[in-house]
Amino acid sequence: MSADNFGTLPHPVARDAHIERFHISIPQLEIDRLNLLLDNCPLVDANWENSQEDGRFGVTRDWLNNAIKDWRYNYNWRHWEAQFNSYPQYMIDIKDDDQKPYSIRFNALFSSNPNALPIIFLHGWPGSAVEFLPLLELVKQQYPTAESLPYHILVPDLVGFGFSSRPPMDKDYTYEDNARILVKMMHSLGFTVKNGGYMTQGGDLGGLVAPKMAVLDPENCRLTHVNMLLMPPPAGTNVEDDIRAGRYTADEVESLRNGMKFHANGAAYAAIQGTRPATCGLAIGSSPVALLAWIGEKFLQWSDPDSRPSLEYILTNVSFYWLTKCYPTSVWIYRLMIAEAPNVRSGWVGIQCPLGYSWFKSEISNPPKQWRDIIGIVKWFREHECGGHFAALEQPKVLWDDVVDMITEFGLV
Protein backbone atom coordinates (compact mmCIF):
# COMPACT_ATOMS: atom_id res chain seq x y z
CA MET A 1 0.00 0.00 0.00
CA SER A 2 1.49 3.33 -1.02
CA ALA A 3 2.19 5.79 1.78
CA ASP A 4 0.65 8.50 -0.38
CA ASN A 5 -2.72 6.79 -0.05
CA PHE A 6 -2.87 8.34 3.44
CA GLY A 7 -0.59 11.29 2.83
CA THR A 8 -2.90 14.15 1.85
CA LEU A 9 -3.14 16.81 4.54
CA PRO A 10 -6.83 17.31 5.36
CA HIS A 11 -6.58 21.07 5.99
CA PRO A 12 -4.36 23.97 4.91
CA VAL A 13 -1.45 24.44 7.30
CA ALA A 14 -1.41 27.65 9.33
CA ARG A 15 0.57 30.49 7.78
CA ASP A 16 2.99 30.73 10.71
CA ALA A 17 3.92 27.04 10.40
CA HIS A 18 5.92 25.16 7.79
CA ILE A 19 5.55 21.50 6.90
CA GLU A 20 7.50 19.19 4.60
CA ARG A 21 7.44 15.50 3.84
CA PHE A 22 10.21 13.73 5.75
CA HIS A 23 12.25 10.65 4.94
CA ILE A 24 14.52 8.86 7.42
CA SER A 25 17.90 8.10 5.91
CA ILE A 26 20.63 7.54 8.48
CA PRO A 27 24.06 7.98 6.82
CA GLN A 28 25.83 4.66 6.29
CA LEU A 29 28.81 6.16 8.10
CA GLU A 30 26.75 6.25 11.31
CA ILE A 31 25.70 2.61 10.95
CA ASP A 32 29.30 1.61 10.25
CA ARG A 33 30.42 3.55 13.33
CA LEU A 34 27.80 1.75 15.44
CA ASN A 35 29.09 -1.61 14.22
CA LEU A 36 32.67 -0.54 14.92
CA LEU A 37 31.74 0.37 18.49
CA LEU A 38 29.88 -2.91 18.97
CA ASP A 39 32.97 -4.76 17.73
CA ASN A 40 35.33 -2.93 20.05
CA CYS A 41 33.42 -2.25 23.24
CA PRO A 42 34.56 -4.83 25.81
CA LEU A 43 31.96 -6.45 28.03
CA VAL A 44 32.77 -6.79 31.73
CA ASP A 45 33.41 -10.24 33.16
CA ALA A 46 30.67 -12.36 34.66
CA ASN A 47 30.00 -11.94 38.37
CA TRP A 48 27.39 -13.08 40.85
CA GLU A 49 25.10 -10.08 40.41
CA ASN A 50 25.05 -10.00 36.60
CA SER A 51 24.47 -13.77 36.47
CA GLN A 52 21.17 -13.80 38.38
CA GLU A 53 18.59 -14.98 35.84
CA ASP A 54 15.67 -13.49 37.77
CA GLY A 55 17.02 -10.02 36.92
CA ARG A 56 16.72 -8.75 40.49
CA PHE A 57 20.00 -6.86 40.10
CA GLY A 58 19.32 -5.72 36.56
CA VAL A 59 20.02 -7.07 33.11
CA THR A 60 22.15 -10.21 32.95
CA ARG A 61 25.50 -10.42 31.23
CA ASP A 62 24.32 -13.36 29.11
CA TRP A 63 21.31 -11.45 27.82
CA LEU A 64 23.39 -8.39 27.02
CA ASN A 65 26.12 -10.42 25.33
CA ASN A 66 23.60 -12.22 23.12
CA ALA A 67 21.76 -8.98 22.35
CA ILE A 68 25.00 -7.27 21.31
CA LYS A 69 25.79 -10.14 18.93
CA ASP A 70 22.30 -10.00 17.45
CA TRP A 71 22.53 -6.23 17.04
CA ARG A 72 25.89 -6.54 15.31
CA TYR A 73 25.33 -9.53 13.03
CA ASN A 74 21.60 -10.07 12.51
CA TYR A 75 19.85 -6.76 13.00
CA ASN A 76 19.02 -4.63 9.97
CA TRP A 77 18.30 -0.98 10.70
CA ARG A 78 17.49 -0.30 7.04
CA HIS A 79 14.49 -2.64 7.30
CA TRP A 80 13.05 -0.60 10.16
CA GLU A 81 13.96 2.68 8.54
CA ALA A 82 11.86 1.49 5.59
CA GLN A 83 9.02 0.67 7.99
CA PHE A 84 8.94 4.27 9.20
CA ASN A 85 9.19 5.53 5.64
CA SER A 86 6.32 3.29 4.51
CA TYR A 87 3.88 5.57 6.36
CA PRO A 88 3.41 9.23 5.46
CA GLN A 89 5.95 11.21 7.42
CA TYR A 90 6.39 14.92 8.03
CA MET A 91 8.50 17.55 9.73
CA ILE A 92 6.50 20.54 10.90
CA ASP A 93 8.08 23.76 12.15
CA ILE A 94 6.06 25.78 14.64
CA LYS A 95 6.76 28.71 16.95
CA ASP A 96 6.17 28.68 20.68
CA ASP A 97 4.73 31.63 22.60
CA ASP A 98 8.21 33.15 22.88
CA GLN A 99 8.64 32.77 19.10
CA LYS A 100 11.26 30.06 19.55
CA PRO A 101 10.92 27.56 16.66
CA TYR A 102 10.49 23.83 17.21
CA SER A 103 10.49 21.06 14.64
CA ILE A 104 8.32 17.99 15.23
CA ARG A 105 8.69 14.81 13.17
CA PHE A 106 5.61 12.65 12.94
CA ASN A 107 4.14 9.74 11.06
CA ALA A 108 0.52 10.03 10.03
CA LEU A 109 -2.35 8.24 8.38
CA PHE A 110 -4.64 10.96 7.07
CA SER A 111 -8.23 10.20 6.11
CA SER A 112 -10.11 11.77 3.22
CA ASN A 113 -13.32 11.62 5.28
CA PRO A 114 -14.24 15.23 6.18
CA ASN A 115 -15.65 14.03 9.52
CA ALA A 116 -12.57 12.00 10.54
CA LEU A 117 -11.45 12.45 14.15
CA PRO A 118 -7.73 13.23 14.67
CA ILE A 119 -5.99 11.08 17.32
CA ILE A 120 -2.47 11.88 18.44
CA PHE A 121 -0.57 8.97 20.03
CA LEU A 122 2.22 9.96 22.43
CA HIS A 123 5.11 7.71 23.46
CA GLY A 124 7.02 7.67 26.72
CA TRP A 125 10.50 6.89 28.07
CA PRO A 126 12.35 4.62 27.35
CA GLY A 127 9.97 4.11 24.45
CA SER A 128 9.68 6.09 21.24
CA ALA A 129 7.55 6.33 18.14
CA VAL A 130 8.75 2.77 17.47
CA GLU A 131 6.10 1.69 19.99
CA PHE A 132 3.30 2.60 17.59
CA LEU A 133 4.55 0.91 14.43
CA PRO A 134 2.38 -2.21 15.05
CA LEU A 135 -0.64 0.00 15.67
CA LEU A 136 -0.09 1.95 12.45
CA GLU A 137 0.10 -1.31 10.53
CA LEU A 138 -3.03 -2.61 12.27
CA VAL A 139 -4.98 0.52 11.36
CA LYS A 140 -3.79 0.38 7.76
CA GLN A 141 -4.89 -3.23 7.45
CA GLN A 142 -8.25 -2.49 9.01
CA TYR A 143 -8.82 0.56 6.80
CA PRO A 144 -6.90 -0.02 3.53
CA THR A 145 -7.87 3.30 1.93
CA ALA A 146 -7.96 6.91 3.07
CA GLU A 147 -11.67 6.99 2.20
CA SER A 148 -12.47 4.16 4.61
CA LEU A 149 -10.42 5.49 7.54
CA PRO A 150 -12.65 7.32 10.07
CA TYR A 151 -9.69 8.87 11.91
CA HIS A 152 -6.53 10.86 11.33
CA ILE A 153 -3.68 9.09 13.14
CA LEU A 154 -0.60 11.07 14.21
CA VAL A 155 2.49 9.65 15.95
CA PRO A 156 5.10 12.32 16.77
CA ASP A 157 8.53 12.25 18.35
CA LEU A 158 8.19 14.30 21.53
CA VAL A 159 10.58 17.22 21.90
CA GLY A 160 13.92 15.79 23.00
CA PHE A 161 13.30 12.46 21.27
CA GLY A 162 14.03 11.03 17.83
CA PHE A 163 14.19 13.54 15.01
CA SER A 164 12.24 16.30 16.75
CA SER A 165 13.89 19.40 18.20
CA ARG A 166 15.88 19.23 21.41
CA PRO A 167 14.80 21.17 24.50
CA PRO A 168 16.16 24.73 24.53
CA MET A 169 19.65 25.41 25.83
CA ASP A 170 18.79 28.72 27.50
CA LYS A 171 15.93 27.74 29.83
CA ASP A 172 14.30 24.85 31.65
CA TYR A 173 11.82 22.67 29.82
CA THR A 174 8.77 20.84 31.18
CA TYR A 175 6.12 18.39 30.06
CA GLU A 176 3.68 21.31 29.99
CA ASP A 177 5.94 22.99 27.42
CA ASN A 178 5.83 19.79 25.34
CA ALA A 179 2.05 19.69 25.62
CA ARG A 180 1.74 23.33 24.56
CA ILE A 181 3.97 22.81 21.53
CA LEU A 182 1.92 19.78 20.46
CA VAL A 183 -1.31 21.76 20.90
CA LYS A 184 0.14 24.38 18.58
CA MET A 185 1.04 21.63 16.12
CA MET A 186 -2.53 20.31 16.13
CA HIS A 187 -3.88 23.82 15.61
CA SER A 188 -1.41 24.42 12.77
CA LEU A 189 -2.72 21.27 11.06
CA GLY A 190 -6.27 22.60 11.29
CA PHE A 191 -7.42 20.24 14.06
CA THR A 192 -9.53 22.70 16.00
CA VAL A 193 -13.16 22.70 17.07
CA LYS A 194 -14.01 24.34 13.75
CA ASN A 195 -13.08 21.04 12.12
CA GLY A 196 -14.28 18.75 14.90
CA GLY A 197 -11.41 18.96 17.41
CA TYR A 198 -9.11 16.07 18.29
CA MET A 199 -8.28 13.30 20.77
CA THR A 200 -5.05 12.59 22.67
CA GLN A 201 -3.67 9.22 23.79
CA GLY A 202 -0.52 8.28 25.66
CA GLY A 203 1.35 6.15 28.14
CA ASP A 204 4.26 6.87 30.48
CA LEU A 205 5.45 10.41 29.61
CA GLY A 206 2.80 10.46 26.90
CA GLY A 207 0.28 9.69 29.65
CA LEU A 208 1.28 13.00 31.26
CA VAL A 209 1.43 15.04 28.07
CA ALA A 210 -1.88 13.75 26.64
CA PRO A 211 -4.11 15.00 29.50
CA LYS A 212 -2.05 18.18 29.83
CA MET A 213 -2.86 18.95 26.19
CA ALA A 214 -6.53 18.62 27.11
CA VAL A 215 -6.08 20.94 30.10
CA LEU A 216 -4.33 23.56 27.96
CA ASP A 217 -6.75 23.24 25.05
CA PRO A 218 -10.23 22.53 26.48
CA GLU A 219 -12.05 24.02 23.50
CA ASN A 220 -10.48 21.69 20.95
CA CYS A 221 -9.42 18.51 22.78
CA ARG A 222 -12.54 16.39 23.01
CA LEU A 223 -11.25 13.14 24.53
CA THR A 224 -8.13 11.89 26.28
CA HIS A 225 -7.09 8.28 26.80
CA VAL A 226 -4.13 6.96 28.78
CA ASN A 227 -2.73 3.49 29.41
CA MET A 228 -0.74 4.63 32.43
CA LEU A 229 -2.34 6.84 35.06
CA LEU A 230 0.06 8.39 37.55
CA MET A 231 -2.14 9.08 40.57
CA PRO A 232 -0.84 9.43 44.13
CA PRO A 233 -2.95 8.03 46.98
CA PRO A 234 -5.70 10.45 48.06
CA ALA A 235 -4.91 12.47 51.17
CA GLY A 236 -5.17 10.41 54.34
CA THR A 237 -4.91 7.06 52.55
CA ASN A 238 -3.08 4.27 54.35
CA VAL A 239 -2.58 1.58 51.75
CA GLU A 240 -1.75 -1.23 54.18
CA ASP A 241 -4.77 -0.45 56.35
CA ASP A 242 -6.99 -0.37 53.26
CA ILE A 243 -5.64 -3.74 52.11
CA ARG A 244 -6.31 -5.29 55.51
CA ALA A 245 -9.80 -3.80 55.50
CA GLY A 246 -10.56 -5.43 52.13
CA ARG A 247 -11.13 -2.16 50.27
CA TYR A 248 -9.32 -3.35 47.14
CA THR A 249 -9.88 -6.21 44.73
CA ALA A 250 -7.35 -9.02 44.48
CA ASP A 251 -5.96 -7.55 41.24
CA GLU A 252 -5.70 -4.11 42.84
CA VAL A 253 -3.85 -5.54 45.83
CA GLU A 254 -1.45 -7.37 43.51
CA SER A 255 -0.87 -4.20 41.52
CA LEU A 256 -0.27 -2.13 44.66
CA ARG A 257 2.19 -4.72 45.97
CA ASN A 258 4.01 -4.74 42.63
CA GLY A 259 4.13 -0.96 42.70
CA MET A 260 5.63 -0.97 46.19
CA LYS A 261 8.19 -3.54 45.10
CA PHE A 262 9.08 -1.46 42.06
CA HIS A 263 9.59 1.71 44.09
CA ALA A 264 11.72 -0.22 46.60
CA ASN A 265 13.88 -2.14 44.15
CA GLY A 266 13.38 -0.79 40.62
CA ALA A 267 13.14 2.98 40.78
CA ALA A 268 16.82 3.85 41.28
CA TYR A 269 17.11 4.56 37.54
CA ALA A 270 14.63 7.45 37.98
CA ALA A 271 16.56 8.90 40.91
CA ILE A 272 19.87 8.95 39.04
CA GLN A 273 18.32 10.26 35.80
CA GLY A 274 16.52 12.92 37.84
CA THR A 275 19.49 14.05 39.92
CA ARG A 276 22.43 13.38 37.57
CA PRO A 277 21.03 13.73 34.03
CA ALA A 278 24.26 15.30 32.79
CA THR A 279 26.44 12.39 33.91
CA CYS A 280 23.88 9.81 32.76
CA GLY A 281 23.60 11.50 29.40
CA LEU A 282 27.34 11.51 28.88
CA ALA A 283 28.03 7.99 30.19
CA ILE A 284 25.06 6.07 28.81
CA GLY A 285 24.59 8.20 25.71
CA SER A 286 28.21 7.73 24.62
CA SER A 287 28.14 3.94 24.37
CA PRO A 288 25.70 1.76 22.42
CA VAL A 289 26.38 -1.14 24.79
CA ALA A 290 25.57 1.00 27.82
CA LEU A 291 22.43 2.26 26.11
CA LEU A 292 21.33 -1.27 25.24
CA ALA A 293 21.82 -2.46 28.83
CA TRP A 294 20.07 0.58 30.30
CA ILE A 295 17.03 0.59 28.02
CA GLY A 296 16.89 -3.15 27.43
CA GLU A 297 16.50 -3.76 31.16
CA LYS A 298 13.32 -1.67 31.24
CA PHE A 299 11.76 -3.52 28.32
CA LEU A 300 12.49 -6.85 29.99
CA GLN A 301 11.28 -5.90 33.46
CA TRP A 302 8.38 -3.55 32.79
CA SER A 303 6.51 -5.65 30.24
CA ASP A 304 4.20 -8.59 30.78
CA PRO A 305 6.31 -11.78 30.41
CA ASP A 306 3.55 -13.21 28.20
CA SER A 307 3.63 -10.27 25.78
CA ARG A 308 7.19 -9.03 26.09
CA PRO A 309 8.41 -7.10 23.02
CA SER A 310 10.77 -9.11 20.86
CA LEU A 311 14.50 -8.50 20.85
CA GLU A 312 14.02 -7.10 17.35
CA TYR A 313 11.76 -4.36 18.70
CA ILE A 314 14.05 -3.68 21.65
CA LEU A 315 17.01 -3.29 19.29
CA THR A 316 14.98 -1.05 17.00
CA ASN A 317 14.02 1.19 19.89
CA VAL A 318 17.61 1.37 21.14
CA SER A 319 18.85 2.00 17.58
CA PHE A 320 16.33 4.84 17.30
CA TYR A 321 17.81 6.44 20.41
CA TRP A 322 21.43 5.81 19.36
CA LEU A 323 21.17 6.91 15.75
CA THR A 324 19.28 10.11 16.64
CA LYS A 325 21.60 10.77 19.61
CA CYS A 326 18.61 11.60 21.78
CA TYR A 327 19.20 9.75 25.05
CA PRO A 328 20.75 12.77 26.85
CA THR A 329 17.85 15.01 25.81
CA SER A 330 15.12 12.44 26.53
CA VAL A 331 15.41 12.19 30.32
CA TRP A 332 14.38 15.71 31.31
CA ILE A 333 11.07 14.45 32.73
CA TYR A 334 12.91 12.60 35.52
CA ARG A 335 14.54 15.77 36.79
CA LEU A 336 11.06 17.26 37.09
CA MET A 337 9.70 14.14 38.76
CA ILE A 338 12.39 14.32 41.44
CA ALA A 339 11.99 18.08 41.94
CA GLU A 340 8.19 18.34 41.85
CA ALA A 341 6.72 14.85 41.83
CA PRO A 342 3.17 15.76 43.02
CA ASN A 343 2.74 18.38 40.28
CA VAL A 344 4.04 16.06 37.58
CA ARG A 345 1.82 13.19 38.71
CA SER A 346 -1.29 15.38 38.62
CA GLY A 347 -1.02 16.69 35.08
CA TRP A 348 -4.72 15.94 34.60
CA VAL A 349 -5.84 18.51 37.20
CA GLY A 350 -8.33 20.83 35.54
CA ILE A 351 -9.17 18.51 32.66
CA GLN A 352 -12.62 19.16 31.20
CA CYS A 353 -12.99 16.55 28.48
CA PRO A 354 -13.66 12.87 29.32
CA LEU A 355 -10.57 10.94 30.42
CA GLY A 356 -10.36 7.25 29.56
CA TYR A 357 -8.01 4.79 31.22
CA SER A 358 -7.00 1.29 30.15
CA TRP A 359 -5.59 -0.84 32.97
CA PHE A 360 -2.98 -3.35 31.82
CA LYS A 361 -2.28 -5.77 34.64
CA SER A 362 1.53 -5.69 34.52
CA GLU A 363 1.79 -1.89 34.31
CA ILE A 364 3.98 -0.26 36.95
CA SER A 365 1.28 2.11 38.21
CA ASN A 366 -2.39 1.09 38.36
CA PRO A 367 -4.38 3.23 40.83
CA PRO A 368 -7.31 1.33 42.42
CA LYS A 369 -10.94 2.19 41.76
CA GLN A 370 -11.27 3.75 45.22
CA TRP A 371 -8.57 6.29 44.38
CA ARG A 372 -10.00 6.98 40.94
CA ASP A 373 -13.50 7.49 42.34
CA ILE A 374 -12.29 9.96 44.97
CA ILE A 375 -10.51 12.03 42.32
CA GLY A 376 -13.46 11.58 39.95
CA ILE A 377 -11.72 12.26 36.65
CA VAL A 378 -11.85 8.83 34.96
CA LYS A 379 -15.01 8.70 32.82
CA TRP A 380 -14.19 5.54 30.82
CA PHE A 381 -12.36 2.49 32.13
CA ARG A 382 -11.38 -0.95 30.92
CA GLU A 383 -9.28 -3.60 32.66
CA HIS A 384 -7.05 -6.14 30.91
CA GLU A 385 -5.48 -9.29 32.31
CA CYS A 386 -2.53 -9.15 29.90
CA GLY A 387 -0.07 -6.44 28.92
CA GLY A 388 2.37 -4.18 30.70
CA HIS A 389 4.11 -0.84 30.42
CA PHE A 390 4.58 -0.93 26.65
CA ALA A 391 0.93 -1.48 25.78
CA ALA A 392 1.15 -0.26 22.19
CA LEU A 393 3.88 -2.83 21.49
CA GLU A 394 2.59 -5.61 23.72
CA GLN A 395 -1.14 -5.37 22.98
CA PRO A 396 -1.62 -3.08 19.94
CA LYS A 397 -5.05 -4.44 18.98
CA VAL A 398 -6.35 -4.27 22.54
CA LEU A 399 -5.15 -0.69 22.94
CA TRP A 400 -6.54 0.32 19.55
CA ASP A 401 -9.91 -1.32 20.29
CA ASP A 402 -10.09 0.54 23.60
CA VAL A 403 -9.48 3.88 21.90
CA VAL A 404 -12.11 3.15 19.24
CA ASP A 405 -14.63 1.92 21.82
CA MET A 406 -14.17 5.05 23.91
CA ILE A 407 -14.68 7.24 20.84
CA THR A 408 -17.82 5.29 19.95
CA GLU A 409 -19.26 5.42 23.46
CA PHE A 410 -18.88 9.19 23.57
CA GLY A 411 -20.42 9.52 20.12
CA LEU A 412 -17.53 11.21 18.37
CA VAL A 413 -17.57 8.97 15.27
Side-chain angles (χ1 to χ4, degrees):
M1 187 69 64
S2 169
D4 287 327
N5 182 41
F6 297 96
T8 301
L9 295 168
H11 309 292
V13 176
R15 284 180 295 179
D16 60 348
H18 175 73
I19 191 168
E20 291 183 351
R21 290 295 286 263
F22 187 75
H23 184 85
I24 298 176
S25 182
I26 297 295
Q28 185 60 41
L29 181 65
E30 291 298 320
I31 296 174
D32 292 342
R33 187 163 74 114
L34 169 59
N35 289 333
L36 183 65
L37 290 169
L38 293 175
D39 281 338
N40 290 278
C41 184
L43 194 58
V44 300
D45 293 340
N47 59 34
W48 185 73
E49 289 89 353
N50 68 32
S51 300
Q52 300 305 301
E53 293 297 330
D54 60 8
R56 65 185 183 274
F57 298 124
V59 70
T60 68
R61 185 186 187 280
D62 282 348
W63 181 88
L64 183 58
N65 189 40
N66 291 331
I68 292 169
K69 291 178 180 177
D70 202 277
W71 200 5
R72 174 63 181 90
Y73 297 109
N74 299 321
Y75 180 77
N76 182 2
W77 164 257
R78 295 298 186 201
H79 167 79
W80 291 96
E81 191 175 75
Q83 288 292 305
F84 272 105
N85 292 333
S86 71
Y87 306 105
Q89 193 171 188
Y90 303 85
M91 186 73 78
I92 186 169
D93 300 327
I94 56 175
K95 290 183 179 179
D96 200 3
D97 290 342
D98 61 0
Q99 298 304 300
K100 180 177 177 61
Y102 290 87
S103 298
I104 306 293
R105 185 210 70 88
F106 67 96
N107 283 106
L109 296 175
F110 288 125
S111 172
S112 60
N113 182 339
N115 298 315
L117 176 71
I119 313 170
I120 184 169
F121 288 90
L122 304 175
H123 65 80
W125 190 95
S128 66
V130 170
E131 293 180 74
F132 293 103
L133 288 176
L135 189 143
L136 285 170
E137 187 58 31
L138 180 71
V139 172
K140 209 166 74 166
Q141 290 177 3
Q142 188 174 354
Y143 302 102
T145 65
E147 293 79 13
S148 63
L149 180 62
Y151 317 99
H152 303 297
I153 310 297
L154 296 90
V155 180
D157 296 336
L158 297 180
V159 170
F161 293 77
F163 296 90
S164 289
S165 288
R166 301 322 186 212
M169 293 283 289
D170 58 349
K171 64 178 182 179
D172 202 357
Y173 184 81
T174 72
Y175 76 105
E176 183 170 335
D177 294 323
N178 217 326
R180 184 181 61 255
I181 290 164
L182 290 173
V183 165
K184 291 180 180 297
M185 182 187 89
M186 296 300 278
H187 290 187
S188 295
L189 292 169
F191 298 138
T192 62
V193 69
K194 175 184 176 183
N195 294 311
Y198 62 89
M199 176 181 184
T200 63
Q201 196 288 325
D204 191 84
L205 173 56
L208 295 172
V209 176
K212 180 55 72 171
M213 288 179 68
V215 171
L216 296 177
D217 196 24
E219 183 181 5
N220 301 294
C221 186
R222 302 182 66 188
L223 291 177
T224 293
H225 178 275
V226 297
N227 52 276
M228 181 179 183
L229 187 60
L230 289 172
M231 180 180 290
T237 298
N238 185 302
V239 175
E240 291 293 351
D241 286 349
D242 284 351
I243 290 175
R244 284 190 290 269
R247 296 193 176 99
Y248 305 128
T249 68
D251 282 346
E252 289 174 339
V253 171
E254 182 181 355
S255 181
L256 287 168
R257 295 286 190 210
N258 288 339
M260 293 175 194
K261 181 179 178 182
F262 171 79
H263 285 291
N265 302 315
Y269 85 95
I272 194 168
Q273 288 191 155
T275 58
R276 291 294 182 268
T279 304
C280 282
L282 291 167
I284 298 170
S286 297
S287 165
V289 171
L291 190 66
L292 176 58
W294 194 246
I295 289 180
E297 177 201 74
K298 281 65 177 174
F299 274 84
L300 296 176
Q301 296 193 348
W302 298 357
S303 54
D304 183 335
D306 293 331
S307 59
R308 182 167 292 148
S310 67
L311 178 58
E312 181 92 356
Y313 270 113
I314 295 174
L315 292 176
T316 300
N317 188 72
V318 175
S319 296
F320 196 77
Y321 272 77
W322 177 259
L323 294 171
T324 61
K325 303 178 176 64
C326 75
Y327 170 75
T329 58
S330 72
V331 295
W332 49 265
I333 185 61
Y334 289 95
R335 179 171 42 77
L336 300 178
M337 289 174 66
I338 297 300
E340 46 178 303
N343 292 332
V344 171
R345 288 201 299 264
S346 57
W348 34 259
V349 171
I351 193 169
Q352 297 182 31
C353 73
L355 173 67
Y357 169 42
S358 291
W359 160 305
F360 289 89
K361 189 172 183 177
S362 295
E363 178 56 276
I364 297 167
S365 173
N366 277 325
K369 184 177 187 299
Q370 178 181 318
W371 300 8
R372 303 193 306 267
D373 288 349
I374 290 173
I375 303 297
I377 62 165
V378 176
K379 306 303 181 184
W380 186 96
F381 175 77
R382 187 162 291 165
E383 184 174 350
H384 300 291
E385 287 297 309
C386 298
H389 186 70
F390 304 98
L393 267 183
E394 297 179 57
Q395 300 287 341
K397 186 177 187 307
V398 173
L399 180 64
W400 172 246
D401 288 347
D402 282 2
V403 170
V404 170
D405 288 350
M406 183 184 178
I407 292 169
T408 301
E409 289 183 32
F410 282 93
L412 266 63
V413 170

